[in-house]
């Protein structure tokens, strides 16, 4: 008596149907995630470039370094820290670099960074939005990250408008 070759085949299950359905959506989902990741990285680079412009006009090297540190944090939080499948948490040093106290500059100085009132709010917004980006991996990454990237661009544009409107 021989064993039927059919017994070696896996049994059909609903879990298998769900896995196949998910795999069918996989490439589309991955493409959407990749597009959102690129969008966020581009927005982060543009925001960081504006913050570096703010750093470049500081008379105090300490304030310039604080703003440069924030710019590097914006780039990292909007790109390298957005890890699909990751924890969605922002590294401690980035939380510090992107905190609202970037408006105060270097803490040991007795002066504030040279920022116009129209630049302060966009600077805080840029830092806060960048800090929120890594958490998108815990939800609907393409939708949430694209929305944050759009808001990051809007905050950067507001900051650039304030900077351009000033006679430096």
């Amino acid at each position: 008596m021989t064993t039927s070759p059919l017994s070696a085949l896996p049994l059909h299950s609903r879990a298998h149907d769900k896995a196949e359905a998910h795999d069918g959506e996989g490439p589309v989902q991955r493409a959407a995630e990749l597009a959102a990741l690129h969008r966020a990285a581009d927005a982060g680079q543009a925001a960081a470039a504006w913050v570096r412009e703010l750093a470049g006009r500081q008379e105090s090297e300490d304030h310039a370094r604080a703003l440069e540190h924030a710019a590097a944090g914006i780039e990292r939080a909007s790109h390298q820290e957005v890890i699909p499948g990751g924890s969605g948490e922002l590294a401690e040093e980035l939380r510090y670099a992107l905190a609202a106290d970037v408006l105060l500059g270097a803490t040991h100085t007795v002066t504030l960074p040279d920022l116009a009132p129209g630049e302060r709010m966009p600077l805080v917004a840029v830092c806060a939005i960048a800090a929120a980006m890594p958490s998108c991996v815990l939800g609907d990454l393409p939708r949430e990250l694209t929305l944050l990237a759009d808001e990051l661009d809007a905050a950067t544009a507001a900051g650039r408008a304030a900077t351009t409107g000033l006679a430096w």
Side-chain angles (χ1 to χ4, degrees):
M1 181 166 162
T2 61
T3 307
S4 168
L6 294 177
S7 63
L9 295 175
L11 295 175
H12 185 75
S13 70
R14 289 187 184 160
H16 186 261
D17 286 343
K18 289 179 184 176
E20 281 183 358
H22 179 68
D23 287 345
E25 294 173 4
V28 173
Q29 179 67 18
R30 283 190 293 278
E33 285 181 0
L34 187 58
L37 290 166
H38 283 292
R39 175 81 180 86
D42 290 346
Q45 286 179 339
W50 172 64
V51 174
R52 286 191 175 98
E53 289 174 20
L54 299 178
R57 69 167 199 247
Q58 300 302 308
E59 289 183 28
S60 165
E61 284 296 317
D62 294 330
H63 291 320
R65 267 193 301 278
L67 287 165
E68 283 285 346
H69 192 65
I74 291 164
E75 283 181 329
R76 185 172 157 196
S78 64
H79 183 61
Q80 294 97 334
E81 294 293 312
V82 184
I83 304 166
S87 69
E89 293 183 18
L90 192 63
E92 185 176 346
E93 71 271 10
L94 289 179
R95 284 194 305 267
Y96 177 75
L98 299 175
D101 61 356
V102 71
L103 296 177
L104 303 175
T107 56
H108 62 278
T109 65
V110 293
T111 63
L112 294 174
D114 187 10
L115 299 172
E119 294 172 327
R120 294 179 193 287
M121 186 57 72
L123 178 58
V124 170
V126 161
C127 289
I129 294 165
M133 287 180 151
S135 68
C136 291
V137 301
L138 301 175
D140 182 355
L141 186 137
R143 183 181 62 79
E144 294 172 10
L145 194 57
T146 300
L147 174 70
L148 289 179
D150 290 345
E151 294 302 320
L152 186 58
D153 276 342
T156 302
R160 284 195 180 283
T163 300
T164 303
L166 303 172
W168 292 104

